[in-house]
Amino acid sequence: MSREVEDRNRRLLRARDAMDRAYAEPLDVRAVAAVAHVSAAHFSRSFRAVFGETPHRYLQRRRVERSMFLLRETDRSVTDICLDVGFTSLGTFSRTFREIVGETPSAYRSGHGPIVAPNCVQMLAMRPLGAAGAAMRSRESAMGSSSFGEAGAAAVP
Amino acid sequence: MITRVNVATVWVLDKDEALDFYVNRLGLEKSADIRQGDYRWLTVRVPGDAGIEISLEEPGPPIQDEATGAQLRELITKGAMGSLVLQTNDIVGLYETLKSRGVTDFTQEPTANFYGTDMGIRDPFGNPIRVLQRAKAAQRATV
């Protein structure tokens, strides 16, 4: 039994790594689930059981973290950064950013400068937590959804 | 006064498989491999560097009880354990070498930063490994 758990964890971790590596690309839940060798529906459920949040939410927080990094470190426009980190619509990006970070991308940029810490440390430690309530809502709405793209956004006020 | 790091431990699920990965794929060399009864003291190190050894240790008895060992194994496979950070003088060459040796679990391709270029790998069990080639300015600053 325990070997099965370890093997499942390792496969799900490989899928999580794939999201961290390819967050800028359009990711489809089926493709990421395939990295873990499970079906899309089973993937969301078991990912959440192992890592405490849905893959959709994990990817959102990664994309928002990378956008925060670019807002701090570069002069690129908010629209360019939105596309750089894998969002396809500025509206969804702004709404997701505000929900997770608590302020708009522009407001965040004006209040923060570059952080002198290794990039891998930033990726590891600075993925924003977001509000617990919002995380719950997004988690519920992402259950059974078939795409990472805009899924879950409808449940966010 | 403490003068240097001597041994750091990486928890692995299987010592033979770990030795194959850390030596044959990553390119470290075997240092100590000593058996005492059922126990095997196994370490690897940077080739030619007799200083810091990396001990490859399996969770479970006799180090911990079965249940604690099982918890640790679960955490390793979730990628929740600490990270080893290594240095290279040729990150792009190493990246190509690792790929040619069949390493597929890259968490990040070589990426340029102000302090140098680094990449991320996972060992077969889930442990994160970073490899850094320091930027020239950073190299000079620490020499």
Side-chain angles (χ1 to χ4, degrees):
Chain A
M1 184 59 203
S2 136
R3 285 284 179 184
E4 281 170 32
V5 169
E6 290 158 19
D7 178 61
R8 179 205 61 186
N9 287 354
R10 188 65 187 87
R11 283 185 288 112
L12 290 169
L13 180 62
R14 198 166 282 126
R16 202 187 79 178
D17 286 341
M19 288 192 279
D20 284 333
R21 205 172 49 240
Y23 61 87
E25 295 160 26
L27 284 178
D28 163 68
V29 71
R30 207 175 297 275
V32 180
V35 174
H37 301 298
V38 291
S39 73
H42 187 62
F43 177 58
S44 288
R45 204 164 47 241
S46 46
F47 188 99
R48 183 179 157 195
V50 169
F51 296 117
E53 63 187 333
T54 62
H56 170 68
R57 187 62 171 183
Y58 185 88
L59 180 62
Q60 271 190 331
R61 288 174 55 215
R62 168 57 63 223
R63 285 174 168 163
V64 168
E65 182 276 330
R66 285 291 86 191
S67 74
M68 294 166 83
F69 171 77
L70 292 171
L71 288 164
R72 288 194 307 266
E73 306 268 343
T74 73
D75 295 325
R76 292 177 68 72
S77 73
V78 171
T79 307
D80 284 345
I81 289 175
C82 154
L83 300 173
D84 285 344
V85 301
F87 284 93
T88 51
S89 123
L90 186 58
T92 304
F93 170 59
S94 300
R95 194 165 56 237
T96 306
F97 189 101
R98 212 164 47 238
E99 179 226 338
I100 289 176
V101 182
E103 58 188 336
T104 65
S106 305
Y108 177 80
R109 165 173 266 169
S110 65
H112 296 84
I115 294 174
V116 183
N119 196 16
C120 59
V121 173
Q122 295 196 33
M123 284 187 75
L124 192 68
M126 302 200 61
R127 209 162 48 95
L129 283 173
M136 289 295 287
R137 282 199 301 279
S138 176
R139 188 181 293 164
E140 279 157 15
S141 72
M143 295 292 286
S145 71
S146 64
S147 159
F148 285 128
E150 313 287 309
V156 178
Chain B
M1 184 177 77
I2 292 168
T3 54
R4 66 175 302 153
V5 175
N6 192 16
V7 178
T9 297
V10 173
W11 292 97
V12 300
L13 299 194
D14 182 276
K15 287 185 185 177
D16 283 323
E17 196 182 344
L19 190 62
D20 179 61
F21 174 80
Y22 281 93
V23 173
N24 298 331
R25 295 181 196 273
L26 199 56
L28 300 180
E29 71 179 11
K30 186 163 82 170
S31 183
D33 189 358
I34 300 160
R35 289 172 194 269
Q36 181 75 52
D38 288 340
Y39 180 72
R40 182 182 185 189
W41 168 244
L42 178 64
T43 70
V44 293
R45 64 187 181 196
V46 171
D49 181 354
I52 301 167
E53 297 191 61
I54 299 162
S55 155
L56 303 173
E57 204 63 83
E58 282 175 25
I63 296 176
Q64 301 111 358
D65 60 284
E66 285 286 0
T68 306
Q71 286 180 317
L72 197 42
R73 295 169 74 96
E74 204 173 326
L75 289 174
I76 293 165
T77 51
K78 280 189 189 191
M81 303 297 284
S83 166
L84 198 59
V85 185
L86 305 170
Q87 266 189 49
T88 177
N89 53 11
D90 178 13
I91 189 88
V92 174
L94 179 65
Y95 175 65
E96 294 302 329
T97 302
L98 293 181
K99 282 201 294 190
S100 74
R101 289 179 187 152
V103 174
T104 53
D105 278 329
F106 291 96
T107 53
Q108 191 178 38
E109 323 282 311
T111 304
N113 298 286
F114 69 90
Y115 48 83
T117 302
D118 63 354
M119 65 178 170
I121 313 162
R122 280 198 198 280
D123 80 1
F125 320 105
N127 291 305
I129 300 167
R130 303 287 311 179
V131 187
L132 167 70
Q133 179 177 7
R134 302 186 80 136
K136 289 207 164 58
Q139 275 171 356
R140 274 199 299 277
T142 55
V143 166

